[in-house]
Amino acid sequence: SINGGNGSNGSKGSFEDPVRDTIRSLLDRLPPEFEMVHLSIRAKSFLSGPSGPYIVVAIQECRRMNLLLQQIKRSLLDLEKGLNGSLNMSVEMENLSKDLSLNQWPKSWVNIPSQKNLMSQFSDITLRVEQLCSWVETFEVPKSIWLGGLFSPMSYITAALQVTARQRGLALDKMTMETHVTGMRYLSEI
């Protein structure tokens, strides 16, 4: 047959199977969303305390992460339905399928500046979720934070400036950051 027959090398299934495998792998490893109502209730008592600005950042980061996780899940499930024939394939779905087959971070997902491929970036997403989970578990200010793992690193820096300005009775607009590079590589060294 001209189109490659049923299952020969020219068939569409040879392209779709790796994409289906990637969809399944990503969905299986996709972290659950943060329960924002519960988090907001728990955070309420901390917001008026000295670490309030940090709590605001934590809640904002969880909301942004939920948006990304929802977008990833929705688009992967839609693509899976499209490949199964239960949903019409859209241009967005075709682009997602192409990105998955090339191991590229899909352009339709939240733009995360990175040179990493899809699987490496997805692993980073799970690490970012882990960082947020440990932060909101107790709402204690982390001893160390992966700034690049935040959607808005500047909001965390601003929170640090706000807390310090309040503690010392200084004007926020007069605050600056000073950075010292250390040789520490592990949280246990801090």
Side-chain angles (χ1 to χ4, degrees):
S1 106
I2 295 174
N3 67 7
N6 53 7
S8 70
N9 289 339
S11 74
K12 205 172 186 184
S14 62
F15 171 76
E16 289 178 357
D17 287 341
V19 171
R20 288 177 201 269
D21 293 343
T22 301
I23 291 170
R24 223 6 64 207
S25 171
L26 294 175
L27 287 172
D28 288 345
R29 295 185 307 142
L30 191 67
E33 294 175 31
F34 291 93
E35 173 46 57
M36 294 310 299
V37 172
H38 179 67
L39 274 181
S40 297
I41 291 169
R42 284 188 37 242
K44 202 171 199 172
S45 63
F46 295 98
L47 287 170
S48 59
S51 62
Y54 291 112
I55 305 306
V56 171
V57 173
I59 296 296
Q60 288 172 343
E61 288 292 320
C62 289
R63 282 193 179 112
R64 289 181 180 131
M65 182 57 73
N66 275 357
L67 291 175
L68 175 58
L69 295 174
Q70 290 165 3
Q71 174 64 28
I72 291 171
K73 185 175 184 177
R74 182 176 43 251
S75 63
L76 290 174
L77 290 173
D78 284 351
L79 178 56
E80 189 172 54
K81 290 175 187 173
L83 293 174
N84 291 336
S86 60
L87 194 63
N88 289 336
M89 288 288 284
S90 66
V91 172
E92 292 83 14
M93 292 162 68
E94 289 176 10
N95 290 337
L96 176 58
S97 181
K98 180 181 174 188
D99 288 338
L100 296 180
S101 70
L102 296 173
N103 195 24
Q104 293 178 346
W105 185 259
K107 296 163 195 73
S108 62
W109 294 352
V110 174
N111 186 16
I112 298 174
S114 176
Q115 297 296 314
K116 295 181 177 183
N117 65 34
L118 169 65
M119 290 306 174
S120 295
Q121 188 63 36
F122 192 84
S123 293
D124 279 359
I125 294 298
T126 59
L127 292 174
R128 291 167 73 162
V129 169
E130 286 176 23
Q131 174 175 263
L132 287 172
C133 284
S134 65
W135 188 3
V136 299
E137 184 178 329
T138 61
F139 283 113
E140 289 181 22
V141 180
K143 287 183 181 180
S144 174
I145 195 157
W146 172 29
L147 282 175
L150 300 175
F151 288 97
S152 178
M154 196 61 210
S155 65
Y156 185 86
I157 292 169
T158 302
L161 294 172
Q162 286 175 328
V163 168
T164 304
R166 288 176 186 170
Q167 286 173 343
R168 299 192 178 161
L170 302 171
L172 180 60
D173 61 346
K174 302 293 184 195
M175 301 293 295
T176 61
M177 289 293 281
E178 184 175 324
T179 304
H180 298 271
V181 178
T182 69
M184 291 182 270
R185 297 184 60 154
Y186 304 101
L187 186 60
S188 60
E189 298 178 79
I190 298 174

